[in-house]
Amino acid sequence: MKYLIFGGAGFLGSHLVESLEGDITVVDDLSTVKYLELPPNVKLIKDRVETFKTNEKFDFVIHLAARPSPEDYMQHPVETALSNSLGTYNALEIARKSDAIFLYSSSSEIYGHAEIIPTPEDYWGKVNPIGVRSCYDESKRFSESLIMSYFREYGLDVRIQRPFNVYGPRLREDGSYGRVVSRFIYQALKGEDITIFGDGNQTRAFLYVSDWIEATKKMLFTQGLKGEVFNVGSDKEVKIIDLAKMIIRLTNSNSKIKFLPPRADDPPRRAADITKAKKILGWEPKVDLEEGLKRTIEWFKVRI
Ligand code: UDP
């Protein structure tokens, strides 16, 4: 099997690549990559998803290229919007010429400030089209729309996933790239203040990366999923303040919690309704939050 994976050097991509067997080409501009850990047999091409050109044919084209950290994408809104619009178009064209299976990693962000929690796939979302997060959430929404157009017009075998706050080893903790789990772990291990934006009552539902891999492989290899979209996440909602306390406990840290002003347009609640994935993919998360955090903490302990 031949795979072309955009964003394959990043957090999600590198884990997926490790779990696949076959001929793998990764296209990644390395713009957000800190822990570059790819198996030696993988062909890595430094390019962007919008500009990469090829005449090769592939069995699978997978588009994971994105800047998923809100603080980071808000600093690079144009690049963020382009990789999920022009980039998706370019990736779809490559898939169409190969008649490949096209898998897109969209985002739970497309639901915006969801009014139904846990959120099912058929909820349309509540998104600010001109807000500071729109470079990310609206471009992800446009990608989904374009992908479904390729399905409807050309019959391309497309599959869309919406991951919800996936975490684990290699998730960046530093600067504006840091996501909440890895940043809190870093702060706790270093004895620094744990920085909570707002009052910490906002919620997320976290998914350990091995569960994401399992769902993604089922999405790639199950027959009959053409044009389907799946939430890939957890339905267990956790308050950010409780996440902070859990990480302090699991790391035996002396860190104190520091409350900072809330982030602009921060969704107040988020959790996945995974009824569809359970029924059609036979998938549900196996690693609970405490276990996933322990594994992630162990990984960070020897690297920071
Ligand atoms: N968050 C926080 N402190 C941080 C980083 C994040 O309180 O140092 C909060 C953030 O406000 C959000 C949640 O944690 O409510 C998840 O943030 P993340 O950046 O991981 O991604 P998001 O789910 O917002 O895309």
Side-chain angles (χ1 to χ4, degrees):
M1 286 293 162
K2 276 188 78 173
Y3 300 87
L4 176 62
I5 309 184
F6 292 102
F11 163 57
L12 294 179
S14 61
H15 284 283
L16 180 63
V17 164
E18 276 175 356
S19 77
L20 293 172
E21 278 169 29
D23 178 339
I24 302 175
T25 302
V26 164
V27 175
D28 200 305
D29 70 356
L30 304 179
S31 58
T32 68
V33 178
K34 177 176 179 192
Y35 303 104
L36 182 58
E37 294 176 30
L38 285 175
N41 56 332
V42 170
K43 191 163 138 198
L44 173 62
I45 299 170
K46 193 168 180 284
D47 201 347
R48 290 183 55 77
V49 59
E50 301 95 287
T51 47
F52 176 69
K53 295 281 172 259
T54 182
N55 291 320
E56 265 187 76
K57 298 264 187 282
F58 299 91
D59 300 297
F60 294 90
V61 175
I62 302 169
H63 180 4
L64 308 171
R67 287 180 170 273
S69 165
E71 281 163 53
D72 176 51
Y73 66 64
M74 287 178 207
Q75 286 170 27
H76 301 92
V78 174
E79 200 179 295
T80 300
L82 290 181
S83 58
N84 288 300
S85 50
L86 295 181
T88 304
Y89 169 61
N90 190 37
L92 279 165
E93 277 298 299
I94 294 169
R96 186 164 76 93
K97 285 170 192 153
S98 292
D99 199 20
I101 290 178
F102 183 84
L103 180 93
Y104 179 60
S105 187
S106 179
S107 174
S108 51
E109 274 286 326
I110 66 108
Y111 297 122
H113 288 210
E115 295 141 308
I116 301 174
I117 309 283
T119 310
E121 287 87 350
D122 58 8
Y123 176 70
W124 288 4
K126 187 170 178 239
V127 173
N128 177 356
I130 54 166
V132 288
R133 292 175 93 108
S134 69
C135 58
Y136 192 76
D137 50 33
E138 287 290 20
S139 66
K140 289 277 187 187
R141 289 171 69 91
F142 172 75
S143 279
E144 291 199 13
S145 166
L146 188 66
I147 290 163
M148 291 309 288
S149 301
Y150 269 68
F151 165 62
R152 294 190 180 109
E153 193 162 336
Y154 304 120
L156 189 67
D157 189 341
V158 301
R159 296 143 190 232
I160 297 170
Q161 62 165 228
R162 296 175 180 154
F164 284 61
N165 291 79
V166 186
Y167 71 99
R170 298 189 203 130
L171 184 66
R172 281 182 79 153
E173 75 295 345
D174 55 324
S176 60
Y177 301 99
R179 305 297 298 281
V180 67
V181 170
S182 43
R183 189 181 289 182
F184 283 3
I185 289 175
Y186 177 87
Q187 291 167 335
L189 290 175
K190 290 273 183 191
E192 295 175 2
D193 289 344
I194 308 278
T195 54
I196 290 189
F197 299 138
D199 60 10
N201 283 318
Q202 70 268 40
T203 67
R204 294 293 185 268
F206 299 98
L207 185 74
Y208 189 67
V209 66
S210 60
D211 284 322
W212 175 82
I213 293 172
E214 199 188 314
T216 301
K217 290 177 81 169
K218 284 186 182 249
M219 283 195 67
L220 286 170
F221 303 131
T222 305
Q223 301 276 332
L225 296 185
K226 215 170 175 175
E228 294 290 345
V229 54
F230 290 95
N231 285 339
V232 178
S234 160
D235 50 10
K236 304 210 167 29
E237 218 181 334
V238 179
K239 287 184 178 179
I240 295 302
I241 180 98
D242 293 332
L243 175 76
K245 288 178 186 163
M246 203 168 176
I247 289 175
I248 289 172
R249 173 171 61 82
L250 293 174
T251 51
N252 290 318
S253 173
N254 296 320
S255 291
K256 301 274 168 290
I257 290 175
K258 183 176 171 188
F259 292 94
L260 297 175
R263 224 183 223 170
D265 289 359
D266 200 358
R269 292 179 68 191
R270 184 184 292 159
D273 181 327
I274 48 172
T275 312
K276 185 176 173 186
K278 278 185 187 164
K279 197 169 150 207
I280 298 181
L281 302 177
W283 172 87
E284 62 183 315
K286 293 195 182 107
V287 182
D288 69 21
L289 182 58
E290 182 149 337
E291 175 59 25
L293 289 176
K294 283 183 187 161
R295 292 187 201 173
T296 312
I297 289 165
E298 287 313 306
W299 186 87
F300 270 108
K301 265 187 187 165
V302 293
R303 280 171 181 81
I304 59 174

